[in-house]
Amino acid sequence: DVKVTQSSRYLVKRTGEKVFLECVQDMDHENMFWYRQDPGLGLRLIYFSYDVKMKEKGDIPEGYSVSREKKERFSLILESASTNQTSMYLCASIGTVPYEQYFGPGTRLTVT
Amino acid sequence: SQQGEEDPQALSIQEGENATMNCSYKTSINNLQWYRQNSGRGLVHLILIRSNEREKHSGRLRVTLDTSKKSSSLLITASRAADTASYFCALIQGAQKLVFGQGTRLTINP
């Protein structure tokens, strides 16, 4: 009954490394999202995508990029990881009305 | 931007008691959703209530919506240890983008 999967549950990277976080959904949803979650700040939207090859910045896109080459896959890229990008990253997809959102299990990224 | 604000930020009760969490918002909505997040896990959709609905039930969950006060509440009855989690309300912003509050951290004590 898996709906949204993320490539890693835990990831440790060094400062300056390029990091790829993968997200796959099996519900044929057009809309996919990347969030980060930090204590005291709640969920913040990084990027989202309405369609293949389409992307739009969320509230905190700086330091991130995304790729949506196939409908089921939405990748988050940290071009040069920094310690302030240590966080929990959550991927989600959303269906049509009434817009119920399905989340992946999250990736806890630590940048040292 | 539109965002729900949950209240209280943290709640600790004894197993078997009822837990009530509130969400307030500022602009008009089409629907409001509640999610749960267990520690270290992703979010799970609990319930959606539309703007023309006043109350909705799902098992031990009861959600109310008062659009005149721009507020919603989530009631969990007969709480269990497994209900320990963070609870978020979420609102649609713009075209199909959900915006979350910071959540209420609920702890159920045995």
Side-chain angles (χ1 to χ4, degrees):
Chain A
D1 190 37
V2 174
K3 292 182 167 58
V4 182
T5 58
Q6 294 182 228
S7 51
S8 304
R9 290 297 308 275
Y10 301 94
L11 207 54
V12 180
K13 295 292 182 180
R14 292 191 180 277
T15 301
E17 279 192 85
K18 190 169 186 176
V19 182
F20 292 87
L21 302 181
E22 301 283 337
C23 175
V24 177
Q25 50 95 3
D26 63 0
M27 295 166 285
D28 201 35
H29 287 165
E30 293 180 349
N31 307 297
M32 297 186 73
F33 304 78
W34 274 106
Y35 296 89
R36 64 177 283 178
Q37 186 179 33
D38 302 285
L41 297 176
L43 274 173
R44 292 182 291 167
L45 181 64
I46 304 171
Y47 266 97
F48 58 103
S49 169
Y50 287 152
D51 201 352
V52 175
K53 296 190 185 296
M54 181 277 174
K55 60 186 178 185
E56 192 166 332
K57 293 179 180 179
D59 299 321
I60 52 162
E62 296 77 20
Y64 303 94
S65 63
V66 290
S67 172
R68 184 102 181 264
E69 296 296 320
K70 293 185 177 181
K71 190 175 185 179
E72 67 271 18
R73 188 180 299 269
F74 191 34
S75 302
L76 179 69
I77 303 157
L78 286 67
E79 295 290 342
S80 178
S82 62
T83 55
N84 63 12
Q85 293 178 310
T86 291
S87 186
M88 168 71 92
Y89 289 87
L90 290 159
C91 172
S93 70
I94 195 168
T96 54
V97 176
Y99 305 133
E100 182 176 323
Q101 200 166 25
Y102 295 87
F103 282 84
T107 295
R108 186 166 293 283
L109 172 67
T110 301
V111 182
T112 61
Chain B
S1 62
Q2 170 77 301
Q3 180 177 348
E5 294 183 8
E6 290 94 344
D7 171 59
Q9 291 189 351
L11 180 62
S12 181
I13 61 173
Q14 295 300 120
E15 193 166 14
E17 294 180 341
N18 296 340
T20 300
M21 290 157 273
N22 302 296
C23 173
S24 59
Y25 56 93
K26 295 180 180 176
T27 64
S28 61
I29 59 171
N30 291 323
N31 65 64
L32 184 146
Q33 303 181 35
W34 285 91
Y35 288 78
R36 183 187 74 228
Q37 184 182 34
N38 292 90
S39 181
R41 309 288 292 274
L43 282 87
V44 173
H45 180 269
L46 293 176
I47 201 165
L48 178 148
I49 186 166
R50 291 181 171 80
S51 59
N52 62 353
E53 297 176 311
R54 291 295 167 259
E55 187 170 312
K56 203 162 182 179
H57 297 256
S58 176
R60 292 183 296 111
L61 305 180
R62 173 177 163 246
V63 168
T64 61
L65 179 64
D66 186 336
T67 53
S68 65
K69 295 181 179 178
K70 293 186 167 53
S71 68
S72 174
S73 67
L74 170 67
L75 168 68
I76 303 174
T77 60
S79 63
R80 304 169 182 170
D83 295 328
T84 293
S86 292
Y87 293 82
F88 298 84
C89 66
L91 310 167
I92 291 286
Q93 178 184 29
Q96 301 179 19
K97 186 172 75 172
L98 274 179
V99 178
F100 290 81
Q102 294 196 18
T104 293
R105 174 69 189 165
L106 174 64
T107 301
I108 309 299
N109 301 305

